[in-house]
């Protein structure tokens, strides 16, 4: 057991306020009484090594997620290119159909005009 009065006086002599010194001396006394609640160096090293392992695992998971995101971006880029190509093909198809219909319309109008000219030429 620690002499809390002596510890308090020592802390006050080194610049702690009376309240701070009192609280700190009682806290130190409480932890010194409960030795089972204090960690040993070996336990701290074990926890440190566990944390290192956990950190390594998390870093690997982050790397995996980054790789997955990179793959998804590449796939999205490829999909975008595919869609753009399909849109271009669709537009070309529409233009071809419109051009064909325009030509057919023009030929039909020309045939009607020729027919009318022949009709009026034969029947003045």
């Amino acid at each position: 057991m620690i002499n809390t009065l002596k510890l308090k006086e020592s802390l006050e002599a080194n610049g702690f306020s009376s309240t701070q010194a009192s609280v700190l001396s009682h806290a130190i006394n409480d932890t010194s009484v409960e030795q089972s609640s204090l960690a040993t160096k070996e336990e701290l090293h074990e926890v440190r090594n566990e944390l290192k392992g956990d950190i390594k695992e998390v870093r690997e998971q982050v790397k995996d997620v980054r790789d997955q995101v990179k793959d998804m971006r590449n796939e999205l880029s490829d999909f975008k290119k595919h869609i753009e190509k399909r849109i271009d093909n669709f537009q070309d198809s529409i233009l071809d159909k419109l051009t064909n219909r325009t030509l057919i319309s023009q030929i039909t109008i020309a045939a009607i005009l020729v027919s009318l000219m022949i009709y009026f030429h034969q029947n003045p």
Side-chain angles (χ1 to χ4, degrees):
M1 183 168 229
I2 295 176
N3 184 343
T4 56
L5 181 59
K6 189 174 179 182
L7 179 60
K8 179 182 180 253
E9 290 171 353
S10 176
L11 291 171
E12 286 176 349
N14 286 298
F16 284 83
S17 71
S18 177
T19 306
Q20 290 173 330
S22 178
V23 170
L24 186 57
S25 67
H26 286 294
I28 291 172
N29 185 48
D30 290 344
T31 57
S32 68
V33 172
E34 300 173 23
Q35 292 291 326
S36 64
S37 66
L38 297 176
T40 64
K41 278 187 176 181
E42 185 178 310
E43 291 172 331
L44 292 174
H45 285 295
E46 286 178 20
V47 170
R48 179 177 161 229
N49 291 334
E50 287 177 18
L51 288 174
K52 280 184 176 181
D54 291 345
I55 289 170
K56 183 179 178 183
E57 187 178 317
V58 167
R59 284 185 176 156
E60 290 172 359
Q61 291 174 353
V62 167
K63 184 184 178 293
D64 290 344
V65 169
R66 283 183 179 159
D67 291 342
Q68 289 175 357
V69 168
K70 183 179 176 183
D71 291 343
M72 291 171 97
R73 284 184 177 165
N74 290 337
E75 289 174 11
L76 284 173
S77 177
D78 292 344
F79 182 70
K80 180 182 175 188
K81 289 175 186 175
H82 175 74
I83 293 297
E84 288 172 348
K85 185 176 178 181
R86 296 283 306 256
I87 288 172
D88 289 342
N89 290 342
F90 183 67
Q91 288 174 340
D92 290 344
S93 173
I94 290 173
L95 286 175
D96 286 344
K97 287 180 181 179
L98 288 176
T99 302
N100 290 340
R101 288 181 181 168
T102 302
L103 287 173
I104 292 171
S105 297
Q106 289 176 350
I107 292 171
T108 304
I109 291 171
I112 292 171
L113 289 175
V114 169
S115 297
L116 287 173
M117 288 174 62
I118 293 173
Y119 174 78
F120 285 117
H121 184 59
Q122 290 176 353
N123 299 323

